[in-house]
Amino acid sequence: MVAFALTVSVSSLSLAEDTFTLRLAQTWGPNSPILGETVEHMAEMAETMSSGRLKIRIDASNKHKAPFGIFDLVRNGQYDMGHTASYYYKGTIPNAMYFTTVPFGMIAPEQYAWFYHGEGMELMQKVYEPYGLLSFPGGNTGNQMGGWFREEIKSLDDLKGMKMRTPGFAGEVMSELGVAVTNIPPGELYSALERGTIDAVEWVGPALDFSMGFHQIAKYYYSGWQEPGAEVQFLINQKTWNSLPADLQEILRVAMRTAAYDMYIQSTHESGVAWDRMKEDYPDVTHKTFPPEVIEALRGATNKLLKEAAEQDELAKEIINSQREYLRQVRQWTNISDKAYLDSVAGE
């Protein structure tokens, strides 16, 4: 849905130009830190760079009432754009979830390299094109934490029967290990944990977890395995995109890419600040890593599910193989650069 408004220049020598107002629906609630700020930042850049010709009106989830319905809202033309995470829609388009993250997969810099210099963007468009949509990287949280747990996880048996909120492919992996997995909208997570509807919750990391208050209920905070680089997305209705002049398409593309990068560095900054504060203000919060037997079981379940997905769907196979091959190549560099540096200065 594109609203057209004719703006006439005061100069008789200037040509009138169309002004486009796009409506965007986001999964996040009003005043959502980082995630919501990313959308606002993108909209501000697009309007500034276009000298006001491109305006984006943002509706939070409390307005459209469908936090996990962004895919349908944009596909059906109720909104021109969306900001969400592709793995929320694995029930409708299973192949979309690989573009948010894959357990034991690429970290954020590797993932961005795959998107923009590997086959990521091309494959993502293969998935979304049949639905009349375009998808663009919309911001990365970096390596996410494994979640908040009421009880310490000492063995695989501690996972069996546990009720946990964790979305996407990781949810399927956890289910393989006997976890009762559920996906709950962000605004309901704290109350679900507080009331015992769930025993554990995986959200993002300190930058966003601290404000959610999970640490007031669950004291065991585990490092992650499931989302080494979690990319959210901008969705755009193809008809809306086609209606934009070429210069506004490019302005929107640049605004989205810049806002996505800014979200990644903001997440890194805010997580550092939040974790430092959490350690000082809530010393009873205990950081943990999952036991080796749990990690190996999670890895085994991940490989099993990826193998099954590749056998059942040719496009899934193409995406999985592309990610695997790219990771094989780029991880060699990560290992002798970032990993080697961190290993060599461990303890400092």
Side-chain angles (χ1 to χ4, degrees):
M1 296 169 60
V2 183
F4 298 87
L6 193 62
T7 302
V8 181
S9 170
V10 294
S11 170
S12 59
L13 299 177
S14 299
L15 295 176
E17 294 181 314
D18 288 335
T19 297
F20 295 77
T21 300
L22 311 185
R23 296 179 65 216
L24 181 150
Q26 62 180 12
T27 289
W28 337 115
N31 304 313
S32 177
I34 301 181
L35 293 163
E37 291 174 84
T38 296
V39 183
E40 292 171 2
H41 186 199
M42 183 277 296
E44 290 168 0
M45 283 191 291
E47 184 168 353
T48 299
M49 289 190 291
S50 67
S51 298
R53 291 173 55 218
L54 180 58
K55 302 177 187 294
I56 299 170
R57 197 183 88 192
I58 302 163
D59 283 351
S61 59
N62 66 318
K63 180 70 178 291
H64 56 71
K65 308 296 184 184
F68 293 148
I70 308 302
F71 170 80
D72 286 326
L73 290 174
V74 180
R75 176 177 59 161
N76 296 333
Q78 293 165 267
Y79 282 85
D80 304 294
M81 299 182 64
H83 194 243
T84 185
S86 62
Y87 62 6
Y88 291 148
Y89 311 102
K90 66 185 182 70
T92 304
I93 40 172
N95 288 333
M97 65 182 174
Y98 306 112
F99 301 105
T100 300
T101 190
V102 172
F104 301 101
M106 292 181 277
I107 61 175
E110 295 168 338
Q111 192 175 17
Y112 274 129
W114 176 68
F115 272 124
Y116 288 112
H117 298 281
E119 299 174 312
M121 293 295 289
E122 175 187 349
L123 290 169
M124 187 160 61
Q125 191 49 35
K126 272 191 178 184
V127 171
Y128 282 97
E129 187 174 24
Y131 301 95
L133 296 171
L134 296 172
S135 179
F136 295 86
N140 205 298
T141 64
N143 202 326
Q144 292 198 5
M145 293 295 284
W148 295 89
F149 293 76
R150 289 178 176 272
E151 304 293 336
E152 184 177 359
I153 305 302
K154 298 179 181 178
S155 69
L156 282 170
D157 288 339
D158 293 328
L159 293 177
K160 291 180 171 56
M162 173 182 291
K163 296 171 293 184
M164 182 177 183
R165 183 273 182 190
T166 185
F169 199 86
E172 295 185 22
V173 174
M174 279 291 202
S175 293
E176 288 282 313
L177 272 57
V179 176
V181 172
T182 184
N183 194 13
I184 300 171
E188 301 172 20
L189 292 177
Y190 180 87
S191 59
L193 188 64
E194 182 182 39
R195 295 169 184 169
T197 305
I198 52 176
D199 304 307
V201 58
E202 179 264 312
W203 179 223
V204 180
L208 293 173
D209 291 6
F210 189 78
S211 61
M212 298 287 272
F214 302 135
H215 55 281
Q216 298 170 13
I217 305 168
K219 302 302 182 184
Y220 295 100
Y221 197 28
Y222 278 80
S223 284
W225 56 276
Q226 78 293 352
E227 298 190 39
E231 188 72 29
V232 293
Q233 66 177 159
F234 287 110
L235 280 177
I236 304 179
N237 185 286
Q238 180 76 61
K239 291 180 180 178
T240 295
W241 179 263
N242 292 344
S243 73
L244 295 174
D247 65 323
L248 294 189
Q249 288 179 350
E250 188 61 23
I251 283 171
L252 185 54
R253 194 195 312 271
V254 170
M256 290 186 293
R257 186 164 176 171
T258 304
Y261 172 73
D262 286 350
M263 177 177 152
Y264 175 44
I265 57 177
Q266 183 185 5
S267 295
T268 300
H269 167 72
E270 297 291 350
S271 282
V273 171
W275 181 240
D276 186 61
R277 180 181 167 192
M278 195 177 296
K279 286 196 304 177
E280 182 174 340
D281 294 350
Y282 298 91
D284 55 336
V285 169
T286 303
H287 166 249
K288 306 289 290 185
T289 56
F290 291 107
E293 70 160 327
V294 172
I295 291 294
E296 286 310 304
L298 291 166
R299 190 190 303 274
T302 296
N303 291 336
K304 171 179 176 289
L305 291 172
L306 287 172
K307 183 174 182 293
E308 291 175 355
E311 290 172 348
Q312 295 167 8
D313 185 282
E314 280 301 314
L315 184 50
K317 180 179 180 180
E318 188 176 359
I319 297 167
I320 292 166
N321 286 345
S322 175
Q323 289 185 330
R324 185 172 288 154
E325 177 57 26
Y326 196 86
L327 179 59
R328 181 201 64 76
Q329 180 186 65
V330 75
R331 184 56 58 86
Q332 296 177 81
W333 163 239
T334 302
N335 283 340
I336 67 167
S337 57
D338 293 353
K339 184 177 183 298
Y341 167 72
L342 292 173
D343 288 345
S344 69
V345 300
E348 293 186 10

